[in-house]
């Protein structure tokens, strides 16, 4: 009998957390904090159904399909809609995530370029080689298979989580609990702030 929860599920969970660190753990709370506590609470309430139910529906959609293990969403859409419509949906699914991958590739390249610039002049040719190297390394990791991908993500995420945990505990002394009750007035401006946050950062929940 297989275990209900294994080490692989744990690594995947932490890896998914790591992909949300950018907005969900860093930038979004900062923006919400400046907007006020009531905006924080409303956004949290709205974020729950917008995050949980679509992911649950997608999981049920894939798990209920009569497909071979490991084929994922591509196999599910082919099973339900046929090969032609399935290929179309798969293509749209690819484009949706390809844009995100490009954004992350650009961000990684910019971060590496800043570090390299401290040691050597950053020429257009060197930046092009750096960008190509980033894309090749990322694709190589995925091409090496699921287990290698999980191990790499776990290797990157665990130190990151430890770092954020340390910073969170270290900054407890600088907390200001009185701010939670200082901006509790509800007004039309409150809804405007919530909508503004979702229009700029909601896609990264």
């Amino acid at each position: 009998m297989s275990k209900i929860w294994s080490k692989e599920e744990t690594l995947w969970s932490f890896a998914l957390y790591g992909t949300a660190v950018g907005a969900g753990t860093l930038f979004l709370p900062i923006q919400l904090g400046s907007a006020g506590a009531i905006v924080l609470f409303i956004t949290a309430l709205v974020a729950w159904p917008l995050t949980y139910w679509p992911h649950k529906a997608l999981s049920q959609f894939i798990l209920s399909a009569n497909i071979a293990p490991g084929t994922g969403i591509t196999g599910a859409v082919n099973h339900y809609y046929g090969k032609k419509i399935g290929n179309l949906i798969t293509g749209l699914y690819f484009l949706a995530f390809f844009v995100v991958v490009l954004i992350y590739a650009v961000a990684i390249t910019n971060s590496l370029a800043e570090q390299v610039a401290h040691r050597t002049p950053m020429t257009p040719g060197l930046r092009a080689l750096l960008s190509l190297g980033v894309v090749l390394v990322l694709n190589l990791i995925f091409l090496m298979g699921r287990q290698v991908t999980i191990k790499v993500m776990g290797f990157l995420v665990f130190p990151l989580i430890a770092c954020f945990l340390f910073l969170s505990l270290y900054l407890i002394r600088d907390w200001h609990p009185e701010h939670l009750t200082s901006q509790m007035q509800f007004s039309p401006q409150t809804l405007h702030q919530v909508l503004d946050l979702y229009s700029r950062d909601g896609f990264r929940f």
Side-chain angles (χ1 to χ4, degrees):
M1 182 177 178
S2 61
K3 294 188 296 183
I4 297 177
W5 193 269
S6 65
K7 181 181 178 181
E8 183 175 344
E9 276 78 16
T10 303
L11 289 175
W12 269 116
S13 300
F14 282 116
L16 291 174
Y17 167 80
T19 60
V21 163
T25 306
L26 290 177
F27 304 120
L28 200 57
I30 294 174
Q31 295 172 353
L32 289 172
S34 62
I38 193 168
V39 177
L40 172 64
F41 296 143
I42 293 176
T43 306
L45 290 175
V46 175
W48 166 253
L50 289 180
T51 305
Y52 175 74
W53 293 111
H55 282 79
K56 181 181 179 181
L58 181 60
S59 300
Q60 291 176 335
F61 174 79
I62 297 174
L63 293 175
S64 61
N66 186 19
I67 55 177
T71 53
I73 189 172
T74 56
V77 294
N78 287 332
H79 171 75
Y80 286 115
Y81 303 110
K83 192 170 184 180
K84 290 184 179 180
I85 302 298
N87 289 337
L88 176 62
I89 296 176
T90 301
L92 295 175
Y93 185 76
F94 167 78
L95 290 176
F97 280 91
F98 182 69
V99 174
V100 178
V101 171
L102 290 180
I103 294 173
Y104 277 102
V106 171
I108 295 174
T109 301
N110 290 338
S111 299
L112 291 176
E114 290 179 3
Q115 300 300 321
V116 174
H118 291 301
R119 296 170 176 80
T120 182
M122 180 56 64
T123 62
L126 182 58
R127 185 177 181 84
L129 290 175
L130 185 62
S131 302
L132 179 62
V134 169
V135 174
L136 289 177
V137 170
L138 292 177
N139 281 278
L140 180 62
I141 293 173
F142 287 110
L143 289 175
M144 293 177 69
R146 180 179 180 181
Q147 294 300 325
V148 174
T149 302
I150 294 175
K151 290 180 180 179
V152 172
M153 288 192 298
F155 174 77
L156 295 175
V157 168
F158 283 122
L160 187 63
I161 293 175
C163 177
F164 281 120
L165 180 60
F166 169 76
L167 290 176
S168 299
L169 296 176
Y170 178 76
L171 293 175
I172 288 178
R173 61 181 182 177
D174 296 318
W175 285 4
H176 298 284
E178 65 275 8
H179 290 173
L180 290 175
T181 57
S182 62
Q183 295 176 304
M184 292 297 291
Q185 297 81 13
F186 184 84
S187 65
Q189 182 67 18
T190 302
L191 294 178
H192 175 74
Q193 290 174 320
V194 173
L195 293 175
D196 182 60
L197 284 169
Y198 272 101
S199 65
R200 290 184 287 111
D201 296 305
F203 71 94
R204 290 187 290 180
F205 271 105

